[in-house]
Amino acid sequence: MKADAMYENVAIIGAGTMGHGLALVHALGGARVTVTDVDPATLAGAAGRIRSAVQVLAECGEIDANTPDPLTRIRFVPTLAEAVADANLVVEAAVEDPVAKRSIFSELDRLAPRTAVIASNTSGLDIFPLVPAGRLGRTLIVHWYAPPYIVELVDIVGSPETPADLIESVRAFVAGLGKRPVVLSRFVPGYVANRLQAAWTREVLWLMEQGIAGPAEIDAAVRHGLAGRMALLGHVMKSDFGGLTLTQRLLANGSYEFPAPVDHYDILDRLVEAGRTGVLAGKGFYDYGGRPAAELVADRDRRLIALKRATNAIVADFPEPKVQ
């Protein structure tokens, strides 16, 4: 991985769950990175989280012994002004709140070089109405998935004013970092993967709330029935292999009904109210037996790396047919 000279000075705005990982990805690509966060504690803890991630990557052979310590390419600074002073790429990875993002974009308009590209990591907000008009031509969404130093997918969406050559430049840069960018023609909340996940989440919660299947049964169905075939074929090609007449008949039969849209599920509310909020709390749908969250995350990362390698090796020479 090697950073394009056009984006060799990268500012990361936000040092939390995604921000520290994005700093690591860009530093491993050879960029000089500055990181800032409004929360001093989050900023102070970022280096430790990066160091833990680097250790896992090194253990798994994702980076070799000759790779310079990426932390030597990362500076942690207390102010936005210092972070963006020399940036040619600004990665906004702040909280998913439109008021906060509007404020950040306003400050970036005042503080960042006019030539800087602004790339928002927003998960679901249409940030373009929040960006000052004079910056829209150099603003786009570059949405990563956690953990970004392992997961390859990156969504790229230009603003209505972003020129095609800039979108292509960012796409090539992201691909040069070893990622697999997907460029969308326009913004839609959730992009592709998260929209599919949202539909799955509704189905999963409905199945559990109806008492049809529990967490273990649902995860077994995904792992052993869907995940392998989708890793090789995706969903659309999987339909081709199953036969489009089958898809047509299933739709015509009308045997499947979408769960009614709701804004909450009791099963989820009960877990959250009980403090079972996930891995960081030690319990969610599953009980993690008191294992520290950092240990669980490192274990997940090792297994994700092994899975990614195996999948990529299997898929590498699979034929890429033409899309009609």
Side-chain angles (χ1 to χ4, degrees), residues 304-322:
L304 279 177
I305 289 168
L307 182 61
K308 179 182 74 171
R309 286 179 176 172
T311 300
N312 286 345
I314 291 167
V315 172
D317 59 354
F318 196 75
E320 282 282 345
K322 294 180 181 179

Side-chain angles (χ1 to χ4, degrees), residues 34-46:
T34 55
V35 183
T36 192
D37 197 289
V38 293
D39 179 19
T42 299
L43 189 64

Side-chain angles (χ1 to χ4, degrees), residues 12-28 33 35-37 42-43 45-54 70-71 74 76 91 93 121 146-149 297 300-301:
I12 309 289
I13 314 305
T17 301
M18 290 299 293
H20 79 281
L22 292 172
L24 173 56
V25 170
H26 288 84
L28 286 171
V33 181
V35 183
T36 192
D37 197 289
T42 299
L43 189 64
R49 292 192 294 274
I50 291 171
R51 194 170 289 110
S52 295
V54 169
L71 277 167
I74 302 172
F76 302 93
V91 177
N121 182 55
Y149 45 86
V297 169
R300 175 207 64 182
D301 286 359

Side-chain angles (χ1 to χ4, degrees), residues 77-96:
V77 299
T79 67
L80 185 65
E82 190 175 356
V84 304
D86 299 315
N88 37 43
L89 175 63
V90 178
V91 177
E92 179 272 310
V95 63
E96 286 290 290

